[in-house]
Amino acid sequence: MNYRVPQPVPQVILDDVRGAQKMLSGVSRVTPMEGSRHLSALVGSPVHLKCENLQRTGSFKLRGAYVRIAGLRPEQRAAGVVAASAGNHAQGVALASSLLGVHSTVFMPVGAPLPKVAATQEYGADVRLHGQVVDETLAAAQEYADRTGAVFIHPFDHRDIIAGQGTVGLEILEQCPEVRTILVGIGGGGLAAGIATAVKALRPDVQVVGVQAAGAAAYPPSLKAGHPVSIDAPATMADGIRVGRPGDVPFQIIGELVDDVRTVSEDALSSALLLCLERAKLVVEPAGASTVAALLSEPGRYGGGPVVAVLSGGNVDPLLLQRILRHGMAAAGRYLSLRLRVADRPGALAGLLGVLSVVDANVLDVSHVRTDPRLGLTEVEVELHLETKGREHCTEVARALHAAGYTVMGGQDGRDGPRQ
């Protein structure tokens, strides 16, 4: 990347992160590091997964929230705290506040997933639903802070938040001292800034690479411009990193210390989430899987030494997970949709299904069309939705149908998703 922002001294230093680590002892978990044979073979170097999805509240956010709230003066604690979030930050603030005996109010969008709302309430926060998008929710939280005197706890744009998140970097160096590259997802930038602060102070040779969703990538243009740049309508399934503007404090640190920022597609995100479930047996949200998506997208870029990919969170709404898994399977060529014409007579469909059975293609859905004027008098169009084993299997199915005398009128192999 080699974009450097003039900033002689980062606003957060190693001693801040070490202090945060002591403060978090007994509060946050030292999350495990899991090896991945599949990713290691793909990259050509050992790959380890730093499992912040197994942190308390399901993400790294507890670390920064606790450090920030613990650092408040007594009169500030008495006034309470307020935050705005669609999920992970909300839960981190709620639990940290409960542990410290501080009243918390959390504003969440009206459409926030019900499991995240319920979890935030169970951690002790007074949850208020406001606004359709996070910007509206954020404005409501800031107005509440101005009106009541409650301390606004920003999700990423504060040095205490960054110091707390930086403890992930210290744990990585302790658990994998031979690490050469660390991949970390970037939304506002708090986690990446914290990890870079800790790691670069102790191991300047380690490459720290940030990862953003292509549809919400505010950092590349911001780094090029030399200052935070807002992007319009960020759009990605990875809501944890769907941030339209970098934070001022993390931006300075990332510009100075992070070696590169890469972007990943929605297909790569869904494929990464599916891989985490199937191969690593880990439930990871799309933002948490962004680092794995980077490895899948450009495996040759990260060889030459052990790689650590930070899985930043695992809080994914079950309904969204269902859609993402379907999308991920489609992107991996695990679905095949076909349209073909057969004779409209008894046994014709059975014969077609027999061909599919021989090549072990699982039929998910079958539909018939008899009223299309393009059909012959004795023809019927059949649309099939199949579950396959990958792109090679898709090709095998198509060849088997052709060999049996069927003409495929149209279809998809799943690269853009199954036909609906």
Side-chain angles (χ1 to χ4, degrees):
M1 179 173 66
N2 295 324
Y3 297 124
R4 295 303 180 198
V5 177
Q7 180 73 12
V9 180
Q11 298 182 41
V12 183
I13 62 174
L14 178 61
D15 285 347
D16 297 324
V17 182
R18 283 176 165 161
Q21 187 177 47
K22 292 179 181 179
M23 190 179 296
L24 288 167
S25 178
V27 175
S28 65
R29 294 174 180 156
V30 177
T31 51
M33 187 93 74
E34 299 289 343
S36 172
R37 286 182 293 179
H38 177 78
L39 289 173
S40 297
L42 184 68
V43 172
S45 294
V47 174
H48 306 279
L49 306 175
K50 176 61 172 168
C51 300
E52 282 296 290
N53 59 309
L54 302 180
Q55 182 58 262
R56 297 179 69 178
T57 76
S59 87
F60 69 95
K61 289 288 190 177
L62 172 64
R63 297 174 185 262
Y66 187 91
V67 173
R68 173 76 172 101
I69 297 169
L72 297 178
R73 299 187 303 274
E75 64 270 22
Q76 291 176 311
R77 291 195 187 193
V81 300
V82 61
S85 168
N88 289 346
H89 180 58
Q91 294 175 64
V93 168
L95 179 56
S97 299
S98 295
L99 294 173
L100 292 164
V102 177
H103 180 266
S104 64
T105 301
V106 176
F107 285 79
M108 303 182 76
V110 172
L114 292 179
K116 294 185 178 182
V117 174
T120 304
Q121 291 172 326
E122 289 171 6
Y123 287 129
D126 173 16
V127 174
R128 304 191 181 191
L129 301 179
H130 183 92
Q132 299 299 320
V133 296
V134 175
D135 285 345
E136 295 174 357
T137 308
L138 180 63
Q142 291 174 328
E143 186 277 331
Y144 178 89
D146 294 338
R147 177 166 49 84
T148 66
V151 179
F152 180 69
I153 307 299
H154 199 283
F156 50 80
D157 207 8
H158 193 280
R159 58 175 296 154
D160 290 345
I161 295 287
I162 293 170
Q165 322 303 32
T167 59
V168 176
L170 294 180
E171 290 179 15
I172 290 173
L173 294 182
E174 292 166 1
Q175 294 170 310
C176 185
E178 68 279 13
V179 62
R180 301 294 300 173
T181 302
I182 297 173
L183 292 169
V184 53
I186 298 182
L191 179 61
I195 288 176
T197 296
V199 170
K200 289 294 188 177
L202 296 169
R203 288 280 307 281
D205 60 301
V206 174
Q207 298 288 300
V208 179
V209 178
V211 182
Q212 292 207 286
Y219 264 89
S222 296
L223 291 166
K224 188 173 184 178
H227 58 82
V229 172
S230 297
I231 59 172
D232 295 329
T236 173
M237 70 175 76
D239 59 336
I241 54 175
R242 190 171 60 221
V243 178
R245 183 186 184 279
D248 292 329
V249 180
F251 175 77
Q252 298 296 326
I253 297 170
I254 288 172
E256 182 70 22
L257 299 178
V258 170
D259 297 282
D260 198 4
V261 176
R262 311 299 298 175
T263 62
V264 293
S265 69
E266 298 297 286
D267 277 355
L269 286 169
S270 57
S271 295
L273 188 148
L274 185 61
L275 184 144
C276 287
L277 278 172
E278 287 191 322
R279 298 299 184 98
K281 314 306 178 189
L282 293 168
V283 177
V284 183
E285 62 189 273
S290 61
T291 53
V292 175
L295 292 174
L296 294 177
S297 300
E298 301 179 287
R301 178 177 289 274
Y302 305 106
V307 178
V308 172
V310 180
L311 306 182
S312 58
N315 294 318
V316 57
D317 179 59
L319 294 177
L320 176 61
L321 178 61
Q322 184 180 40
R323 293 197 297 269
I324 292 171
L325 289 178
R326 188 165 58 242
H327 185 85
M329 291 182 71
R334 300 278 293 276
Y335 288 135
L336 177 63
S337 297
L338 298 171
R339 287 186 297 110
L340 59 163
R341 293 177 184 177
V342 299
D344 189 8
R345 58 177 174 75
L349 180 60
L352 172 61
L353 297 180
V355 174
L356 297 174
S357 176
V358 170
V359 291
D360 201 24
N362 186 36
V363 179
L364 300 176
D365 189 38
V366 179
S367 62
H368 292 77
V369 176
R370 287 188 168 87
T371 57
D372 192 323
R374 293 171 296 181
L375 292 172
L377 184 63
T378 59
E379 287 183 320
V380 60
E381 185 174 279
V382 177
E383 184 168 10
L384 298 166
H385 299 275
L386 310 175
E387 183 181 7
T388 59
K389 301 174 184 178
R391 302 199 188 286
E392 292 184 0
H393 191 207
C394 289
T395 302
E396 181 185 353
V397 170
R399 287 173 178 168
L401 290 171
H402 179 74
Y406 294 99
T407 300
V408 177
M409 307 302 296
Q412 293 178 299
D413 65 0
R415 281 173 288 187
D416 299 315
R419 291 177 58 89
Q420 298 299 319

